[in-house]
């Protein structure tokens, strides 16, 4: 019974407390309408009009996913990216990788501003210097010198070395990074363009590595002797060598939000204005040519060689890459946060030191297939910090069992009109430190490929009230007794003193 | 959909393979005696293990040849790849190849090339990558190289925040421990008994008779005194300050009057008696 | 017997006494009126506003007390101060002041007088100044006679040294503390004279009030024991002393420990041990005298010698041991700074940085006390003439207080009352002597119209009457001191038979002279009060060329901007001087404030202010700072600005991070403190400098920008800010508010982000070696 | 007879503190004046005798009555103090309250004794016997208020 009450409470009052969150939720759900994206349907594709036809498959794929695609030529003046400080599109794809100069409003600064305004970007690099190559370093990308495409002689094939099939399935991905390519991306992905090295920046993570045998070089230059050129480049003072599987051809970038104080100027749950950017080494990855191009593979058989031609994975990979950028997958959100004392219900403005605190949060993720936000209990490494200057407590927020969840869901639907979602609830109980101050509940869940969850809620922890200390301690019995006996003695003394001075008279007579 | 073609003779039609032969390495330490060792690498894993220390130098030499004709070739790509399987760190070192296909590479740990990756206790797998247009490329596993361990690769200061962090617990101050109740009780009894017994003993001997204990002059005064002490006792138990002050004020006025009266009467008696 | 001028002979002593007391009452009413009125300059010149710094906290706390009641106030934890540590207000405040005005507030509202709490706070100090005058009157009356008392009351009523802390609006502890000080002393003297536990207990109760009201209670805690000890050493032990002191000490000490802020100090710290020691000593002596009454003197010698020596040795030993074991805290830094003026600057800059802790400048003695400072020694000498117990007290008080007043400016306050008292004693003795009508031998009588100073004269008449016919009638008027009075007048009247004053002219000259001095004194007080002490440093006043007053209201402009344009829970960082004002006027969260209880936190702010942007930024973010507020007087020539306080920030920060902040780096190689182009690199990159002079030179267009406080020329190319952005600057640039920028969305440091935003291209990088060998 | 004994004890309780302390001190004094120490103790004991005698004979019973109350307070104070020192003074406010209640009561009663003692009539001209008692009551009640306030 008591456990029940302690679980109902967050739901019953959270509904009132986190109005902001719920409003954000409404906004989100209304935005996540037709398309598979959680942040909006409108897509602006910037591409040379002549080349537009080369990407028909990709663009059609986007439309099939429910996106409203607008095409704009790089030099065209409209539609503008930003009008009156507001972005015109939810997503921008820049396929004009080799264009030299762009219209006025398409500049590195404006692109960065777009990101900070919450617009997602897909940026493709070309072999020539242009606006994007100067923008890339801001995202901690290390580009090779111009006109040095990624080449590889492996595997042996008829195509030119600069046209490389990359095996998606052989990508090694750490377990706490979202894998952009689901298992259904089969076959190899054709790539041709520049690869880039990644500086250490936790916001940036590789989506598609270059093959380990590949390297960036200009095989066509007349001076020949590529090997010597590479050797020179790799030496000290050289312009550096770009080679191997540490390079990436596709990298994802998640902008930083909620890094702030979580109150005052930057209050609120920050994930609304989080944006994503994807850097792709070459726009041809999205092209119809590569989407149609077969991959020739030899398979050793007991009876000699067997040559197999598979369709490439480009069509799917392109959509997956764009899908991640458009916040279809790996999108999380904190719906509400509640906290209260153990075995108590109701809103708490301040805790006393050593209180047992129950902290509960509800998290949901966006499901691109149903295009809805659904409660999400999949986070295994969610942590809660109780911070004053430094974290005093850091404990795991574990998902609450689904069964209880259902049980309470129907309870909560009775108690308050908050939606009966209990799965996706994470909760923990800990003891407030025995020092007073303004503490903050901090959830800061940052994983590469996922939306950053950042939520802070400050609450004062105060010393006990003057009557909050234990009284009538056994240790103090003698003192209590002493005080009381003194006053009793005083009373009796007074009584006798005033009541009877008869004898004293006698004395004074005697003297 | 999937088109499968059997070419039995297709193998003959493909380009000639590159390969490296006379692959030798020797380890030069400060005090000479280079023991040169040759090995014949192939595509699958090699069991060869090489260890060099801080003051040693690894000399590696080979010749890139056309496997069919056996004469030297100068490929575009002649890379040594150092790879740490544990940390996944990788380093690529291009090697200069002469037109005759001869190649040399020195790895001195005194001043290692920038391509050498950070190394832990695990060995670095050294692979030779050969690639040239119009030849089919070749990948040769040379040996596992043990080099002195270095610092791990530098990470961004915020990197830990993007992974699971260690849990923290607050260490609480210990509560003050109380003495055993028995002792407290004992002393309580002492405080109550010892002084009172003595007091009573003494007072029985010296205390005057109390003839006027209940005389109307005295009694109100004593009563109000008792009331006062009781009020204070109640304050200790469960009264708020405000109540006590108000009650106390009222009681104080009463006590003043009763007291004046009582003391006046006593004074009269005394003075009267002394006359 | 001849008189210098005719004395009415047909007046019955009772009439004389009654007139005297009536006049006394009237005079006293006038004095209180003057005392209150002269403190209202601040309200007249400016408005009914709370003054400078601490009063703002007291005002805020009082509002809480009035709104939520006493217990809530007692348990009040203020999360908006000392963010994020918070402040346990109930346990770190002297609640006497707030309680007082809270009581007044509730009292008035109980009678349906809806007075705004602010006006109560503003007018509390003037109101209590009248009570102070009364307490001083009582005290001095015990010293000499009521006429001297009236003089003293008049002095304390208008003397600048006391007005400086009690003008309307300076709602600070001292406002009521001085009254409590004087009244406690009066009760102590009374208790000592009468030897009644009643007065002792009353003194203890008011001592408790004093403890609850002001940290300066330690002055009483040590004055009374010293007095008692001196009396002991003078061989003046008496039952009265025992009764008075013991009843005061026991009740007073126990009650003082009820104040949460004081806690167990009275039994733990050395400052309070003197009182305890005297208490023990008195027990011994009293017991010894009891024994003496029972045994012959010779045996008594042995007993006394042995017992006293034993007790003394045991007591001293116990004290040493306990201090050594740490049961008794050694002297605190503030205490040491009283003996060694250089101590604070060396070890506790936080204390030294407070302006009112600086040693007093000589002129301020004259400014605050004027004529009294000359009468003061004379009065002390008078006390030596007839050395009764209470006179000993005044002498000790005079000596101690004048030393402390020399050490610390703010302790001038404790000196002022005794100066008034002894000056009054001196002056009234003078008047007594010269208004005294009897002549040694004067054949003829002179009539004389003596203009003013009615009270002194009439009072003297009363005294004279008492003297002439050793009056039972006047006993009512000059209540307890009658016998003393008799003896005094006798001696003064009886001795100078051969040498004395003849004729009225000499009298006239002296008296007129005295009156003249008094008149000048009054003018001086009025002038000082209206010009020097009535400015609420929240609002500044300057005079236009045409002489009219021009109000500079930048502080309130800035605080109001904060209140209106920033989120409720925004954290504002500023130097601690402005913490209370920000909390009070802007109602925003502050990092540090004038209750300087946590040196490290203040040092953190000091470090942030004195380090370069990129060092300061992590500190700001860690403390959730949203806005930074600095005071800059360079445009207006307002010298009390942060650049002038900057060195204190540096010193305090250096105290905690000696290897990161070094004071010398902020000076030029020649050791000058400059802000112009010759300023040191550290100085120019420091956050404080940048925030002060950001865009300062732009204000002068092409012309050369001159800082009118430092009188130095600011370089044309001003400092640039990457991590902060200017949010608001007041009309006269006195207050400048900066907003702390959020981290860059791309994870770059804000310097690079700014460079990019301004279109700077960065050079291409290349892959670097990730291997770092272990050396 | 019993009154004698009792008054003795009541009388020499205060003097006990004197009587014991020299013994503890003797070594130190003996350093200074070796010969005189023995005589000192001798005279001490003798003087104690006379002290008791004079006390029992000369003290009016009302004072004895007060003295016994003083003794009572001393005892309870001593016991509380020893408890505080030996066992625990943990609720320090309680200790202070209890202990200082006895101390304060003692001091106030001693003041009363001084004031009503016929020998110092001259000292207390303005404080008659009844006035003295009123003071005593007032002081005690104020004291007890603070004691109970502080008892926690």
């Amino acid at each position: 019974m008591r456990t029940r009450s302690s679980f109902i409470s967050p739901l019953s009052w959270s509904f009132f407390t986190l109005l902001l969150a719920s409003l954000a939720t409404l906004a989100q759900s209304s935005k996540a309408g037709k398309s598979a994206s959680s942040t909006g349907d409108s897509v602006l594709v910037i591409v040379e009009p002549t080349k537009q036809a080369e990407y028909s498959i990709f663009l059609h794929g986007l439309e099939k996913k429910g996106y409203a695609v607008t095409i704009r030529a790089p030099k065209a003046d409209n539609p503008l990216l930003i009008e009156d400080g507001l972005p015109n599109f939810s997503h921008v794809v820049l396929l004009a990788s080799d264009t030299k100069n762009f219209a006025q409003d398409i500049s590195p600064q404006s692109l960065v501003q777009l990101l900070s305004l919450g617009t997602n970007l897909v940026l493709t690099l070309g072999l020539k210097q242009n606006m994007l190559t100067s923008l890339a370093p801001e995202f901690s990308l290390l580009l090779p010198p111009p006109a040095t495409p990624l080449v590889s002689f492996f595997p042996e094939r008829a195509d030119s070395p600069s046209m490389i099939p990359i095996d998606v399935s052989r990508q090694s991905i750490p377990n706490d990074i979202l894998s952009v390519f689901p298992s259904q991306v089969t076959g190899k992905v054709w790539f041709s363009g520049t690869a880039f090295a990644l500086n250490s920046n936790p916001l940036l993570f590789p989506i598609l590595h270059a093959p380990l045998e590949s390297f960036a070089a200009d095989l066509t230059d007349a001076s020949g002797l590529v090997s010597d050129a590479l050797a020179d480049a790799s030496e000290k003072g050289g312009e550096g060598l770009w080679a191997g599987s540490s390079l990436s051809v596709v990298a994802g970038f998640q902008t930083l939000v909620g890094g702030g104080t979580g109150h005052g100027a930057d209050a609120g749950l920050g994930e609304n204005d989080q944006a994503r950017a994807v850097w792709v080494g070459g726009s041809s990855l999205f092209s119809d040519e590569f989407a149609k191009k077969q991959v020739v593979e030899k398979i050793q058989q007991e009876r000699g060689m067997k040559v197999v031609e598979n369709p490439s994975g480009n069509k799917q990979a392109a959509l997956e890459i764009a899908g991640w950028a458009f916040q279809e997958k790996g999108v999380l959100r904190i719906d509400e946060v509640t906290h209260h004392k153990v075995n108590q219900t109701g809103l708490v403005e301040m805790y006393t030191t050593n209180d047992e605190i129950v902290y509960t949060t509800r998290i949901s993720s966006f499901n691109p297939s149903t295009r809805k936000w659904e409660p999400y209990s999949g986070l295994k490494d969610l942590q809660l910090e109780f911070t004053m200057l430094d974290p005093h407590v850091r404990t795991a927020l574990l998902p609450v069992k689904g069964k209880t969840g259902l049980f309470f869901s129907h309870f909560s639907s009775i108690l308050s009109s908050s939606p009966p979602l209990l799965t996706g609830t994470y909760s923990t109980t800990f003891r407030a430190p025995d020092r007073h101050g303004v503490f903050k509940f901090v959830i800061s869940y940052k994983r590469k490929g996922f939306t950053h969850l950042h939520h802070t809620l400050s609450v004062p922890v105060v010393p006990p009230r003057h009557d909050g200390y234990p009284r009538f301690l056994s240790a103090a019995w003698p003192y209590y007794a002493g005080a009381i006996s003194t006053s009793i003695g005083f009373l009796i003394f007074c009584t006798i003193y005033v009541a009877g001075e008869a004898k004293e008279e006698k004395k004074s007579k005697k003297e | 959909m999937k088109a499968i073609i059997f070419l039995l003779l297709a193998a003959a039609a493909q380009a000639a393979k590159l390969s490296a032969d006379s692959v030798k390495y020797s380890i030069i330490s400060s005090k000479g005696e280079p023991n040169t060792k040759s090995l014949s690498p192939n595509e699958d894993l090699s069991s060869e293990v090489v260890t060099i220390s801080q003051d040693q130098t690894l000399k590696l030499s080979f010749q890139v040849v056309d496997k069919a004709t056996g004469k030297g070739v100068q490929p575009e790509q002649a890379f040594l790849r150092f790879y740490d399987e544990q940390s996944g760190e990788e380093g690529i070192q291009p090697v200069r190849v002469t037109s005759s296909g001869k190649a040399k590479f020195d790895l001195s740990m005194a001043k290692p090339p920038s391509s050498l990756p950070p190394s832990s206790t695990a060995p670095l797998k050294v692979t030779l990558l050969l690639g040239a247009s119009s030849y089919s490329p070749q990948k040769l596993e040379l040996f596992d190289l043990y080099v002195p361990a270095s610092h791990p690769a530098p990470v961004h200061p915020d990197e830990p925040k993007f992974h699971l962090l260690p849990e923290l617990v607050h260490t609480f101050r210990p509560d003050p421990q109380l003495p055993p109740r028995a002792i407290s009780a004992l002393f309580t009894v002492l405080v109550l008994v010892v002084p009172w017994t003595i007091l009573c003993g003494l007072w029985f001997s010296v205390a005057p008779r109390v003839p006027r204990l209940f005389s109307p002059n005295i009694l109100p005064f004593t009563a109000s005194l008792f009331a006062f002490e009781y009020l204070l006792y109640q304050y200790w138990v469960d009264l708020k300050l405000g109540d006590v002050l108000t009650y106390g004020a009222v009681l104080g006025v009463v006590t003043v009057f009763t007291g004046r009266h009582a003391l006046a009467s006593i004074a009269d008696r005394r003075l009267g008696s002394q006359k | 017997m001849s008189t210098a001028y005719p004395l009415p002979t047909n007046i019955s002593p009772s009439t004389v006494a009654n007139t005297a007391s009536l006049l006394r009452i009237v005079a006293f009413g006038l004095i209180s009126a003057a005392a209150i009125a002269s403190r209202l300059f601040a309200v007249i010149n400016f408005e009914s506003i709370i003054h400078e710094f601490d009063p703002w906290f007291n005002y805020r706390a009082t509002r809480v007390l009035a709104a939520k009641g006493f217990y809530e106030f007692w348990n009040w934890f203020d999360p908006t101060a000392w963010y994020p540590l918070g402040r346990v207000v109930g346990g770190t405040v002297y609640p006497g002041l707030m309680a007082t005005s809270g009581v007044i507030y509730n009292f008035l509202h109980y009678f349906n007088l809806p007075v705004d709490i602010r006006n109560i706070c503003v007018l509390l100090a003037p109101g209590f100044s009248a009570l102070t005058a009364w307490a001083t009157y009582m005290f001095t009356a015990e010293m000499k006679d009521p006429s001297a008392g009236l003089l003293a009351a008049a002095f304390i009523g208008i003397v600048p040294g006391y007005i400086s802390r009690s003008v309307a609006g300076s709602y600070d502890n001292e406002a009521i503390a001085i009254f409590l000080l004087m009244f406690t002393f009066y009760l102590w003297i009374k208790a000592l004279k009468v030897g009644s536990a009643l007065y002792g207990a009353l003194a203890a109760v008011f001592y408790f009030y004093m403890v609850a009201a002001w940290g300066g209670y330690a002055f009483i805690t040590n004055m009374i024991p010293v007095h008692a000890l001196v009396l002991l050493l003078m061989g003046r032990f008496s039952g009265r002393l025992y009764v008075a002191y013991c009843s005061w000490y026991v009740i007073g000490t126990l009650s003082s420990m009820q104040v949460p802020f004081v806690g167990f100090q009275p039994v733990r710290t050395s400052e309070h041990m003197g009182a305890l020691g005297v208490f023990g000593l008195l027990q011994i002596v009293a017991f010894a005298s009891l024994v003496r009454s029972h045994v012959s003197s010779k045996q008594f010698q042995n007993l006394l010698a042995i017992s006293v020596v034993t007790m003394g040795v045991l007591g001293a030993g116990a004290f040493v041991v306990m201090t050594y074991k740490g049961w008794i805290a050694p002297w605190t830094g503030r205490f040491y700074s009283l003996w060694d003026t250089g101590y604070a600057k060396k070890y506790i800059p936080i204390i030294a940085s407070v302006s009112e802790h600086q040693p007093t400048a000589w002129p301020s003695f004259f400014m605050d006390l004027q004529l009294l400072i000359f009468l003061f020694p004379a009065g002390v000498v008078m006390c030596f003439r007839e050395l009764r117990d209470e006179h000993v007290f005044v002498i000790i008080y005079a000596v101690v207080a004048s030393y402390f007043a020399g050490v610390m400016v703010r302790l001038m306050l404790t000196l002022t009352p005794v100066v008034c008292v002894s000056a009054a004693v001196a002056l009234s003795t003078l008047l007594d002597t010269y208004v005294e009508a009897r002549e040694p031998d004067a054949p003829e009588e002179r009539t004389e119209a003596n203009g003013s100073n009615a009270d002194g004269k009439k009072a003297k008449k009363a005294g004279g009457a008492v003297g002439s016919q050793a009056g039972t009638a006047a006993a009512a008027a000059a209540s307890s001191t009658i016998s003393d009075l008799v003896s005094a007048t006798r001696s003064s009247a009886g001795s100078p038979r051969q040498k004395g004053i003849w004729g009225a002219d000499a009298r006239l000259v002296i008296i007129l002279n005295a009156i003249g001095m008094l008149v000048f004194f009054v003018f001086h007080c009025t002038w000082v009060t209206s010009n020097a002490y009535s400015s609420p440093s929240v609002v500044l006043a300057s005079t236009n060329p045409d002489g009219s007053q021009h109000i500079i209201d930048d502080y309130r402009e800035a605080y109001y901007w904060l209140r209106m344009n920033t989120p409720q829970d925004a954290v504002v960082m500023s130097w601690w001087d402005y913490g209370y004002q920000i909390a009070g006027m802007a109602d925003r969260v502050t990092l540090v404030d004038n209750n300087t209880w946590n040196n490290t936190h203040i040092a953190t702010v000091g470090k942030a202010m004195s380090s370069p942007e990129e060092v300061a930024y992590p500190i700001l973010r860690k403390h959730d700072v949203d806005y930074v507020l600095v005071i800059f007087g360079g445009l207006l020539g307002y010298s009390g600005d942060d650049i002038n306080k900057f060195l204190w920030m540096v010193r305090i920060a250096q105290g905690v991070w000696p290897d990161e902040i070094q004071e010398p780096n902020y000076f030029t190689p020649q050791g000058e403190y400059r802000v112009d182009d010759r300023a040191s690199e550290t100085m120019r990159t420091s956050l404080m400098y940048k925030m002060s002079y950001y865009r300062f030179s732009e204000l002068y267009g092409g012309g050369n920008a001159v800082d009118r406080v430092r009188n130095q020329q600011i370089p044309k190319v001003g400092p640039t800010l990457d991590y902060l952005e200017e949010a608001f600057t007041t009309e006269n640039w006195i207050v400048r508010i900066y907003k702390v920028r959020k981290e860059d969305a791309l994870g770059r440091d804000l310097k690079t982000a700014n460079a990019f935003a301004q279109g700077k291209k960065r050079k291409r990088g290349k892959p670097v070696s990730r291997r770092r060998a272990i050396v | 007879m019993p009154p004698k004994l009792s008054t003795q004890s009541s009388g020499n309780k205060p003097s006990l503190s004197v009587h014991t302390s020299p013994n503890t001190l003797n070594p130190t004094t003996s350093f200074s004046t070796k010969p005189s120490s023995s005589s000192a103790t001798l005279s001490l004991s003798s003087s104690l005798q006379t002290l008791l005698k004079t006390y029992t004979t000369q003290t009016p019973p009302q004072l004895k009555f007060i003295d016994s109350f003083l003794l009572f307070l001393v005892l309870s104070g001593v016991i509380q103090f020893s408890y505080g020192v030996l066992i625990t003074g943990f609720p320090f406010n309680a200790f202070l309250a209890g202990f200082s209640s006895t101390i304060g009561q003692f001091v106030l009663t001693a003041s009363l004794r001084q004031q009503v003692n016929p020998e110092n009539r001259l000292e207390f001209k303005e404080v008659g016997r009844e006035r003295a008692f009123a003071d005593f009551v007032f002081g005690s009640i104020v004291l007890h208020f603070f004691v109970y306030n502080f008892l926690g």
Side-chain angles (χ1 to χ4, degrees), chain A residues 166-456:
Chain A
I166 303 176
D167 193 340
V168 178
S169 59
R170 263 218 266 114
Q171 301 282 325
S172 69
I173 292 167
N175 53 5
D176 61 355
I177 290 187
L178 176 80
S179 71
V180 172
F181 297 118
S183 51
Q184 64 262 29
V185 176
T186 55
K188 303 193 171 183
V189 175
W190 284 108
F191 174 82
S192 108
T194 45
F196 40 80
L198 307 182
N199 266 344
S200 74
N201 178 349
L203 301 171
L204 182 68
F205 73 103
I207 291 178
L208 194 58
H209 286 284
L212 62 91
E213 307 90 350
S214 63
F215 58 99
D218 181 8
L219 296 178
T220 65
D221 67 346
S223 63
L225 299 189
V226 177
S227 58
D228 290 0
L230 292 171
D232 297 341
S234 72
E235 273 159 11
K236 288 189 172 54
E239 57 193 355
L241 176 75
W242 276 257
S245 62
S246 63
L247 300 182
S248 304
V249 296
V250 181
F253 193 96
Q254 170 94 46
T255 59
L256 180 73
V257 299
T261 62
H263 74 71
D266 42 14
L269 324 133
E271 58 266 7
N272 299 339
D273 47 6
Q274 285 191 47
R276 291 175 178 178
V278 166
W279 285 90
V280 181
S283 55
S284 53
L285 187 143
F286 299 94
S287 64
D288 301 356
E289 174 198 358
F290 280 5
K292 298 205 195 75
K293 188 175 172 61
Q294 300 283 325
V295 184
V296 180
E297 290 178 272
K298 302 197 197 62
I299 302 164
Q300 292 290 350
Q301 283 193 335
E302 65 282 3
R303 310 184 6 258
M305 292 293 187
K306 177 171 157 211
V307 178
V308 186
E309 289 204 344
N310 295 332
S312 74
N314 282 52
K315 178 167 179 290
Q316 215 166 1
L319 287 177
E320 290 294 343
I321 290 170
W324 181 83
F326 296 172
Q327 304 206 25
E328 290 177 6
K329 52 169 50 179
V331 183
L332 304 172
R333 164 179 100 191
I334 296 179
D335 289 338
E336 70 178 354
V337 165
T338 69
H339 58 89
H340 61 93
K341 283 189 205 156
V342 169
N343 305 334
Q344 285 191 28
T345 66
L347 176 59
V348 188
E349 306 92 351
M350 53 179 55
Y351 289 100
T352 312
T353 51
N354 298 325
D355 276 355
E356 289 288 334
I357 304 178
V358 177
Y359 180 92
T360 316
T361 182
R362 257 182 38 221
I363 290 176
S364 54
S365 74
F366 185 77
N367 181 339
S369 51
T370 65
R371 304 180 181 187
K372 280 196 173 43
W373 287 93
E374 294 171 354
Y376 184 64
S377 303
L379 300 181
K380 298 286 171 280
D381 51 0
L382 189 63
Q383 284 181 313
L384 171 72
E385 285 181 353
F386 200 53
T387 304
M388 183 175 72
L389 291 182
D390 306 311
H392 284 59
V393 174
R394 188 189 292 125
T395 171
L397 266 175
L398 299 174
V400 178
K401 291 286 159 294
K403 185 168 60 63
T404 54
L406 291 173
F407 174 63
F408 287 118
S409 71
H410 113 272
F411 249 100
S412 64
S413 54
I414 294 167
L415 283 171
S416 74
S417 55
S418 67
L421 299 174
L422 251 291
T423 52
T425 303
Y426 300 77
S427 180
T428 185
T429 303
F430 64 95
R431 183 176 168 204
D434 54 0
R435 59 172 300 183
H436 56 78
V438 180
F439 282 80
K440 287 189 294 184
F441 296 103
V442 179
I443 291 184
S444 177
Y445 184 77
K446 297 177 183 170
R447 297 293 182 265
K448 292 170 183 176
F450 290 95
T451 328
H452 296 167
L453 295 180
H454 188 90
H455 182 267
T456 66

Side-chain angles (χ1 to χ4, degrees), chain C residues 196-241:
Chain C
S196 117
L198 174 67
Y199 283 103
L202 281 178
V205 170
F206 274 86
Y207 172 69
F208 164 66
Y209 193 0
M210 174 74 174
V211 173
W214 192 34
Y217 74 91
F219 186 63
I220 301 182
T221 319
N222 290 304
M223 267 303 296
I224 293 181
V226 170
H227 184 209
L229 184 63
V230 171
L231 289 182
L232 271 182
L233 298 182
M234 292 167 72
R236 292 197 180 189
F237 172 80
S238 70
R240 292 197 305 276
L241 178 60

